[in-house]
C-alpha cells in the first residue's frame, strides 16, 4: 500500500509518499519564503502554485504512477485557514480523481508518529517546538494528551520576532543560535513556567527592551527558553513514568536545546530521540505515515466531511490505530 500525504498548515508545502512497511519513498518540501513573516494568503498562493508539481515530483522520486497511490492524506489542522484550505482542496481533488480514500491528519500527532517511525522511541514524551506551536505531548488513555503548552506564542515565532526586530531575516532561530555561541554572559529574563505551561511574550518584550550586545541577548533568550522547556518536559516524564523523550518541530534543530534535553534525560535514566532534519520540520511524509496508520484503523473521511480544522486539538483524536500501548 502506498499513501500520499500533503502537508500545508503554514509556510511549508510538503508532499510525501510512504508505503505500508514504513519506507519513505518521497518527501518533497517546498517552503514559502517568509522573510517578512507569514502572510497566510500569500503562503496559500505559494502552495496552490506548487502543489501539482510537488505531487508529480514525489511520484517521480518514488517511481510510482498516479494509479499506484492507494490513500490520500492531508494536514487537516491546526494551522492557517487559507493554507489548510488550499491543500485540503488539492487532496480532495486527488482522492476523487484516483477514487481512493481520503484521511484528514492532525499535524501535531503526525510529528509524533513520524518520530516513532524514524527513531527507536516507542512511547515517548514529545517536545514539539515549531514556529507556531510549543507543546509537550504524550499518550495516555487512548489519546495523545497535551501535558503542557505555550499560553501565548510558539517559541519559534518568538525567536523570529526578536530576530526581525534586530535585523535578522526569517527564520531568526538558526542565526540566533550562531550568535549565542559567541556569548556566555547571562542576562536575567522572565522565566515563565506556570504549572506545565510556558509563556514567551513577556520574555520577548523584556529582551527587546534590553540594552546589551546582541550575542548576550541571543544567549540569554536561549538559556531561559530552553530551560523552561526542559523543566516541563522533565515533569511530564516524571508524571507519566515514561522514559523516552522525542523532539520535533523546527526549533529542535538547535544544538543547545538538544544538549539540555539530553542532559536532563540522561540524569533521569531516560533516552532522547531526534528524527533526521527533514522529519523534524513540517513535511509530507509525516502526514502520509499517519494517514497510513489511520486508514488501517478505518479513520477515513467522506469528502463532504473533510472540512479543515484551524484549531484542531491534539487530544481530540481517538488513537484507534496501533499507537503506543504502554499506559500509566
Ligand atoms: P517549523 O514551524 O517547524 O517549520 O519551524 C520553523 C521555526 O524553527 C522557525 O521559527 C525557526 O526560527 C526555528 N528554527 C529553525 N532552526 C532553528 C535553530 N537552529 N535554532 C532555533 N530555532 C530554529
Ligand atoms: Mg510542525
Amino acid at each position: 500500500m502506498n499513501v500520499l500525504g500533503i502537508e500545508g498548515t503554514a509556510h511549508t508545502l510538503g508532499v510525501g509518499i510512504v508505503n505500508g512497511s514504513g519506507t519513505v519513498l518521497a518527501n518533497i518540501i517546498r517552503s514559502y519564503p517568509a522573510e517578512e513573516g507569514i502572510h497566510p494568503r500569500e503562503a496559500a498562493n505559494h502552495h496552490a502554485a506548487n502543489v501539482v508539481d510537488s505531487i508529480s515530483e514525489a511520484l517521480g522520486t518514488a517511481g510510482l504512477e498516479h494509479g499506484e497511490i492507494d490513500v490520500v492524506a492531508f494536514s487537516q489542522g491546526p494551522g492557517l485557514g487559507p493554507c489548510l484550505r488550499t491543500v485540503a482542496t488539492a487532496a480532495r481533488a486527488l482522492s476523487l480523481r484516483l477514487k481512493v480514500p481520503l484521511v484528514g491528519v492532525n499535524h501535531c500527532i503526525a510529528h509524533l508518529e513520524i518520530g516513532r517511525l524514524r527513531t527507536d522511541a516507542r512511547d515517548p514524551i514529545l517536545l514539539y517546538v515549531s514556529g507556531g506551536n510549543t507543546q509537550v505531548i504524550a499518550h495516555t488513555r487512548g489519546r495523545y494528551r497535551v501535558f503542557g503548552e505555550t499560553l501565548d506564542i510558539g517559541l519559534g515565532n518568538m525567536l523570529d520576532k526578536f530576530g526581525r526586530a534586530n535585523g535578522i531575516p526569517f527564520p531568526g532561530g538558526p542565526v540566533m543560535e550562531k550568535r549565542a555561541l559567541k556569548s556566555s554572559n547571562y542576562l536575567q529574563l522572565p522565566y515563565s513556567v506556570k504549572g506545565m505551561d510556558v509563556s514567551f511574550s513577556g520574555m520577548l518584550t523584556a529582551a527587546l527592551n534590553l540594552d546589551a550586545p546582541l550575542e548576550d541577548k541571543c544567549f540569554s533568550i536561549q538559556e531561559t527558553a530552553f530551560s523552561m522547556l526542559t523543566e516541563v518536559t522533565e515533569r511530564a516524564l516524571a508524571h507519566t513514568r515514561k522514559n523516552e523523550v522525542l523532539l520535533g518541530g523546527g526549533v529542535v534543530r538547535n544544538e543547545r536545546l538538544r544538549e539540555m534535553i539530553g542532559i536532563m534525560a540522561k540524569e533521569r535514566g531516560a533516552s532522547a530521540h531526534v528524527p533526521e532534519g527533514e522529519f523534524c520540520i513540517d513535511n509530507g511524509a509525516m502526514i502520509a505515515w499517519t494517514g497510513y496508520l489511520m486508514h488501517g484503523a478505518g479513520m477515513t473521511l467522506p469528502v463532504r466531511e473533510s472540512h479543515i480544522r484551524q484549531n484542531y486539538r491534539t487530544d481530540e483524536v481517538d488513537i484507534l490505530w496501533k499507537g503506543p500501548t504502554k499506559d500509566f
Side-chain angles (χ1 to χ4, degrees), residues 200-215:
F200 295 114
S201 59
M203 188 190 311
L204 175 61
T205 308
L208 289 174
N209 289 323
L210 266 184
D211 186 17
L214 185 56
E215 277 72 24

Side-chain angles (χ1 to χ4, degrees), residues 192-260:
S192 354
V193 173
K194 298 169 188 176
M196 287 296 287
D197 294 325
V198 292
S199 131
F200 295 114
S201 59
M203 188 190 311
L204 175 61
T205 308
L208 289 174
N209 289 323
L210 266 184
D211 186 17
L214 185 56
E215 277 72 24
D216 294 350
K217 289 194 268 191
C218 292
F219 173 74
S220 306
I221 289 173
Q222 285 199 171
E223 293 302 300
T224 313
F226 298 166
S227 300
M228 288 161 50
L229 296 180
T230 306
E231 180 188 332
V232 293
T233 305
E234 177 164 29
R235 203 170 307 126
L237 280 170
H239 182 66
T240 57
R241 301 197 185 117
K242 294 189 194 284
N243 56 16
E244 299 165 322
V245 182
L246 175 67
L247 299 178
V251 180
V252 311
R253 292 182 145 191
N254 189 291
E255 291 295 339
R256 179 62 179 142
L257 175 58
R258 294 180 188 206
E259 182 185 31
M260 278 197 203

Side-chain angles (χ1 to χ4, degrees), residues 11 130-131 156 159-160 171-174 177 249-251 253-254 282:
H11 60 104
S130 66
L159 299 174
D160 297 336
E177 178 176 16
V251 180
R253 292 182 145 191
N254 189 291
D282 292 350

Side-chain angles (χ1 to χ4, degrees), residues 1-3 18-22 71 73 103 105 286-298 321:
M1 159 153 331
N2 300 309
V3 181
V18 172
N19 69 19
S21 318
V71 176
V103 181
V105 172
M286 71 180 190
I287 302 298
W289 175 239
T290 311
Y292 168 78
L293 296 172
M294 292 176 72
H295 174 264
W321 60 94

Side-chain angles (χ1 to χ4, degrees), residues 99-113:
K99 298 189 173 62
V100 299
L102 184 64
V103 181
V105 172
N106 178 295
H107 174 91
C108 307
I109 290 179
H111 274 289
L112 201 147
E113 288 298 353

Side-chain angles (χ1 to χ4, degrees), residues 264-320:
M264 179 276 288
K266 197 164 171 223
E267 284 179 354
R268 299 187 52 84
S271 56
H273 306 263
V274 198
E276 307 98 300
E278 68 176 297
F279 302 110
C280 276
I281 59 173
D282 292 350
N283 66 89
M286 71 180 190
I287 302 298
W289 175 239
T290 311
Y292 168 78
L293 296 172
M294 292 176 72
H295 174 264
M299 300 173 79
T300 57
L301 283 176
V303 166
R304 67 181 175 284
E305 289 170 23
S306 65
H307 57 279
I308 59 148
R309 304 177 68 167
Q310 257 173 280
N311 300 312
Y312 201 0
R313 296 277 310 170
T314 304
D315 48 17
E316 277 179 63
V317 184
D318 280 318
I319 311 299
L320 302 179

